[in-house]
């Protein structure tokens, strides 16, 4: 089975009257013989899958990366069934038998075919979505469900639980973030420094200033990989004239966000200053005057003139930056030459391989300085921001900071917001969640217990309660009673 991606380029020569309604970049599955039907009104399963894929943008999956993941999951499932002579819409009995064999194949089959429990769960979720849609089209499905009642935020509702999903550890066991000491280690590593701040003489990397600036930006905001990768220099907020303890609003353009939802997060003064230093010095020296042009396979170059904070002339037409998707942003050519992306590489081209930079930095820290240091992927920076921000919100750090600058030139609206808003509401807005329920569920996947425990202990210390030895003795006596009862 062939997986390709739709492009409408040259559609005028296809002998059709109108441009196709298929979204650009939409995955398309085709059998190896390049046929989509076996006759009139006899579409093949691949054609049915393609119809489902085309409906994804209107069904809650607007991101092209999600379309590709869904298509690949269906492709692998269909190829497996075909090997065993089972059709995608075979009888329920044969489909269930095929699912059972597929589960064994992904759990204990050849090493390269095995899935972790989380990956298996994702694939089953995708297949379940597809088959639930297919049921409405008159097809069978292989899954068995049990009824359950989901309790969340004091409310309950009936849900169906797919029995094909493997059990996994509780989410907070597997979703990780960087504690402050490891965060600092990571920042040092991106700069090519040892933990004590001295030069790491065993490492001879390049573009340390760039890596440090973007790494700090990822840690000091909650930007996703796509979001900080495809930022433009003109979208970076201005640096306040004086350092401030209050975070600085950071608009995230809709063109690069998940679900194309505009939001405003924030960034620390220190991280923003690092980015401005990179843009004004190292980036300018690397990109300006270069003759870089995007490869032809990316499409025509988009020449930028008269750029400002909101937009610029792109091939002579005024466009807002927020309207540009990642694929268009990487084709932008700056007035002075070179790519328009925030991060550039030698020669002036766009640099996008941040997952590799973070992985290599993690490996180097683990090999040279700290055996316990974890693998850092870009999204772990988002989790780290969330935990640090929640800690500051719970302990009142930002409220105290807001009081300090109330009479200064700081953003008055943000100061008021920090002083009055509930921590979960603040975090909801920063992360771009639709509701605070999503934020609560997200936080369940992180170890928030420590934050509230330390906040409680801090409040106790402020009230002079932590040295109460009588309270310690009384608490210890509770456990003594347990021991006596067990021995009795």
């Amino acid at each position: 089975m062939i997986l390709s991606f739709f492009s409408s380029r040259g559609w005028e020569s296809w002998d059709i009257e109108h441009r196709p309604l298929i979204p650009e970049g939409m995955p398309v599955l085709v059998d190896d013989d390049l046929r989509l039907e076996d006759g009139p009104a006899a579409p093949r399963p691949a054609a049915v899958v393609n119809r489902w894929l085309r409906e994804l943008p209107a069904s809650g999956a607007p991101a092209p990366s999600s379309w590709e993941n869904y298509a690949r999951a269906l492709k692998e499932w269909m190829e497996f069934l075909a090997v065993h002579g089972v059709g995608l819409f075979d009888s329920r009995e044969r489909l269930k038998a095929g699912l059972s064999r597929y589960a064994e194949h992904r759990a204990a089959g050849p090493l390269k075919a095995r899935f972790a429990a989380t990956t298996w769960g994702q694939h089953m979720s995708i297949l379940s979505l597809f088959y639930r849609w297919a049921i409405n089209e008159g097809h069978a499905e292989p899954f068995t469900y049990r009824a359950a009642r989901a309790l969340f935020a004091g409310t309950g509702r009936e849900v169906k639980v797919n029995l094909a999903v493997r059990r996994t550890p509780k989410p907070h066991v597997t979703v990780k973030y960087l504690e402050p000491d490891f965060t600092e280690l990571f920042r040092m590593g991106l700069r090519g420094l040892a933990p004590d701040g001295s030069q790491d003489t065993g490492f001879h990397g390049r573009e340390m200033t760039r890596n440090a600036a973007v790494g700090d930006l990822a840690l000091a905001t909650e930007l996703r990989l796509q979001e900080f990768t495809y930022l433009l220099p003109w979208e970076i907020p201005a640096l306040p004239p004086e350092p401030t303890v209050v975070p600085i609003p950071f608009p995230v353009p809709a063109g690069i966000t998940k679900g194309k939802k505009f939001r405003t997060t924030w960034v620390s003064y220190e991280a923003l200053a690092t980015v401005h230093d990179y843009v004004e010095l190292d980036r300018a020296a690397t990109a300006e005057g270069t003759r870089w042009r995007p490869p032809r396979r990316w499409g025509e170059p988009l020449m930028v003139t008269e750029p400002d904070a909101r937009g610029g002339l792109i091939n002579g037409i005024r466009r807002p930056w927020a309207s540009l998707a990642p694929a268009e942003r990487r084709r932008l050519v700056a007035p002075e030459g070179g790519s328009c992306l925030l991060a550039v590489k030698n020669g002036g081209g766009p640099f996008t391989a941040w997952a590799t930079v973070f992985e290599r930095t993690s490996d180097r820290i683990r090999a040279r300085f700290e055996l316990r240091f974890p693998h850092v992927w870009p999204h772990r920076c988002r989790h780290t921001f969330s935990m640090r921000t929640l800690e500051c919100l719970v302990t009142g750090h930002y409220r105290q900071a807001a009081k300090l600058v109330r009479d200064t030139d700081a953003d008055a609206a943000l100061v008021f917001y920090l002083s009055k808003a509930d921590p979960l509401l603040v975090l909801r807005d920063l992360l771009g969640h639709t509701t605070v329920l999503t934020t609560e569920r997200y936080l369940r996947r992180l170890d928030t217990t420590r934050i509230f425990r330390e906040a409680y202990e801090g409040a106790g210390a402020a009230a002079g309660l932590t040295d109460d030895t009588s309270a310690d003795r009384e608490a210890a006596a509770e456990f003594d009673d347990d021991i006596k009862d067990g021995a009795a």
Side-chain angles (χ1 to χ4, degrees):
M1 179 164 290
I2 302 170
L3 172 62
S4 61
F5 298 89
F6 178 78
S7 172
S8 63
R9 185 182 304 172
W11 70 270
E12 297 88 350
S13 63
W14 295 355
D15 195 26
I16 56 178
E17 186 176 354
H18 301 288
R19 180 190 293 269
L21 292 174
I22 303 173
E24 295 294 316
M26 174 60 65
V28 179
L29 293 175
V30 184
D31 290 329
D32 292 339
D33 61 5
L34 304 182
R35 296 179 61 183
L36 290 172
E37 58 183 18
D38 291 319
R44 289 189 176 182
V48 179
V49 172
N50 290 336
R51 185 153 58 90
W52 176 69
L53 291 172
R54 289 197 299 271
E55 294 181 11
L56 288 177
S59 303
S65 58
S66 297
W67 306 342
E68 181 177 354
N69 291 336
Y70 287 14
R72 292 192 183 280
L74 264 298
K75 177 178 181 289
E76 293 171 7
W77 167 242
M78 293 168 69
E79 289 174 338
F80 180 85
L81 291 179
V83 169
H84 295 277
V86 180
L88 182 65
F89 302 118
D90 217 313
S91 68
R92 179 170 172 79
E93 290 73 22
R94 286 176 58 79
L95 283 172
K96 291 183 69 173
L99 179 63
S100 179
R101 178 68 181 86
Y102 192 52
E104 186 275 335
H105 174 71
R106 290 304 193 184
L111 189 60
K112 65 179 182 179
R114 296 180 193 172
F115 281 167
T118 51
T119 305
W120 171 258
Q122 292 168 355
H123 276 238
M124 290 303 98
S125 177
I126 292 170
L127 294 185
S128 179
L129 287 173
F130 168 72
Y131 276 110
R132 301 310 294 173
W133 171 88
I135 284 177
N136 294 329
E137 304 295 317
H139 301 291
E141 68 164 332
F143 297 112
T144 301
Y145 301 88
R146 66 175 173 85
R149 186 168 181 82
L151 296 175
F152 189 67
T155 63
R157 59 187 178 91
E158 294 295 329
V159 296
K160 286 185 175 182
V161 179
N162 191 338
L163 297 183
V165 177
R166 293 187 224 158
R167 297 184 66 181
T168 58
K170 291 295 183 181
H172 72 271
V173 176
T174 56
V175 178
K176 302 296 182 183
Y177 57 93
L178 295 178
E179 292 285 1
D181 55 343
F182 278 5
T183 300
E184 193 59 26
L185 266 180
F186 185 60
R187 294 181 66 248
M188 291 292 186
L190 289 171
R191 288 163 166 77
L193 303 177
D196 61 1
S198 62
Q199 193 68 35
D200 182 0
T201 56
F203 174 64
H204 304 285
R206 296 180 297 176
E207 307 293 351
M208 295 294 101
T209 303
R210 178 198 68 193
N211 295 350
V214 176
D216 282 1
L217 183 66
L219 288 165
T221 63
E222 45 68 43
L223 298 180
R224 298 178 175 89
L225 172 62
Q226 175 174 282
E227 294 166 350
F228 67 74
T229 297
Y230 291 99
L231 275 174
L232 308 179
W234 306 290
E235 294 173 320
I236 302 299
L239 191 67
E242 298 292 337
T244 174
V245 292
V246 173
I248 301 161
F250 194 115
V252 189
I256 57 176
T257 61
K258 184 177 181 180
K260 307 220 178 277
K261 297 184 296 183
F262 170 82
R263 70 181 185 281
T264 299
T265 183
W266 65 38
V267 64
S268 68
Y269 178 91
E270 293 75 14
L272 186 59
T274 301
V275 173
H276 275 275
D277 287 344
Y278 163 66
V279 170
E280 294 166 7
L281 299 174
D282 288 69
R283 187 188 184 283
T286 301
E288 290 182 7
T290 64
R291 303 180 63 182
W292 173 85
R293 292 294 183 273
R296 184 174 299 177
R297 66 180 183 277
W298 290 4
E300 66 171 326
L302 301 178
M303 311 301 295
V304 175
T305 55
E306 301 181 19
D308 58 33
R310 297 179 62 85
L313 293 176
I314 300 177
N315 288 351
I317 301 175
R318 187 76 184 179
R319 306 280 189 190
W321 304 131
S323 68
L324 301 178
E328 296 160 337
R329 287 168 175 253
R330 68 175 182 172
R331 290 191 280 141
L332 296 174
V333 181
E336 302 83 8
S339 171
C340 286
L341 293 193
L342 172 63
V344 294
K345 58 187 177 182
N346 188 34
F351 184 81
T352 59
W354 290 110
T356 301
V357 169
F358 288 7
E359 179 179 11
R360 289 178 177 174
T361 302
S362 303
D363 291 344
R364 187 173 74 253
I365 294 172
R366 189 163 48 251
R368 294 178 56 77
F369 304 114
E370 176 55 77
L371 290 174
R372 301 172 300 150
F373 194 81
H375 173 77
V376 178
W377 61 92
H379 214 74
R380 180 167 279 190
C381 296
R382 180 172 162 91
H383 299 327
T384 301
F385 169 90
S386 299
M387 292 297 287
R388 185 183 67 252
T389 301
L390 181 63
E391 186 170 5
C392 290
L393 291 168
V394 169
T395 58
H397 170 81
Y398 288 131
R399 292 185 180 182
Q400 296 169 16
K403 291 179 181 179
L404 290 175
V405 300
R406 183 174 296 164
D407 299 324
T408 69
D409 294 331
D411 187 313
L414 182 58
V415 169
F416 178 81
Y417 186 52
L418 290 173
S419 302
K420 303 297 182 182
D422 179 89
L424 284 182
L425 294 178
V426 175
L427 200 58
R428 176 203 64 186
D429 295 342
L430 293 174
L431 295 174
H433 292 158
T434 305
T435 69
V436 75
L437 297 181
T438 303
T439 307
E440 288 184 13
R441 183 166 293 181
Y442 168 80
L443 290 174
R444 285 186 178 187
R445 294 174 173 265
L446 299 171
D447 180 19
T448 56
T449 306
R450 174 187 60 80
I451 290 177
F452 290 99
R453 183 184 68 248
E454 292 181 355
Y456 173 80
E457 292 174 351
L465 300 178
T466 55
D467 294 328
D468 192 335
T469 55
S470 62
D472 290 337
R473 285 196 298 270
E474 183 177 354
E478 294 283 356
F479 292 95
D480 291 340
D481 291 340
D482 288 341
I483 295 173
K484 292 175 183 177
D485 292 342

